[in-house]
Amino acid sequence: MHSTRCRTRIRTMTQTLNVTDAKARLSELVAAVAETQDHVEITRNGERAALIVSPDEWDALHETIAILADQQMVADIQEAERDIEAGRVTAAEDLREALLARRRAGR
């Protein structure tokens, strides 16, 4: 069976600068990273020394690490993906109606 699952991949560009150039352009680089979600890689003596990433990207990386570290959460995600592939899904409007009906019944 062909999977209809769709994954979004966000591609970012990485700019590489040495420490001296990065220091001279720091304000510009911070603004660019905040606006574009690109990365800036800073090298020292030709070796990677640091990265500049946006706060949103940093938070997303930490969230991903937290999810991957939680075996139950990973299992739940895998189960949900199997349900989607098997067609065990509920339309958003049907779910909304079911939740509203449950709320009305609970009053």
Side-chain angles (χ1 to χ4, degrees):
M1 179 169 152
H2 178 68
S3 174
T4 57
R5 183 175 31 174
C6 181
R7 293 188 187 251
T8 301
R9 175 170 281 196
I10 299 172
R11 298 211 180 262
T12 59
M13 300 289 290
T14 301
Q15 183 177 7
T16 303
L17 297 169
N18 63 44
V19 171
T20 303
D21 292 341
K23 183 177 177 183
R25 298 177 49 200
L26 185 59
S27 181
E28 169 194 344
L29 296 172
V30 169
V33 165
E35 183 178 314
T36 65
Q37 304 300 309
D38 290 348
H39 306 80
V40 177
E41 183 176 85
I42 301 171
T43 61
R44 182 183 320 140
N45 301 322
E47 299 291 325
R48 292 175 59 187
L51 291 170
I52 301 174
V53 297
S54 72
D56 287 343
E57 184 171 354
W58 180 257
D59 293 343
L61 288 169
H62 278 264
E63 182 177 354
T64 299
I65 291 167
I67 290 169
L68 293 175
D70 184 330
Q71 292 180 342
Q72 183 60 52
M73 192 174 296
V74 170
D76 290 346
I77 291 168
Q78 291 170 337
E79 180 182 4
E81 288 177 337
R82 287 190 299 273
D83 285 345
I84 291 168
E85 288 176 1
R88 293 185 297 265
V89 297
T90 301
E93 186 56 31
D94 293 343
L95 179 59
R96 180 181 177 279
E97 290 300 321
L99 291 172
L100 288 173
R102 182 184 289 177
R103 184 182 298 165
R104 285 190 293 267
R107 286 185 181 178

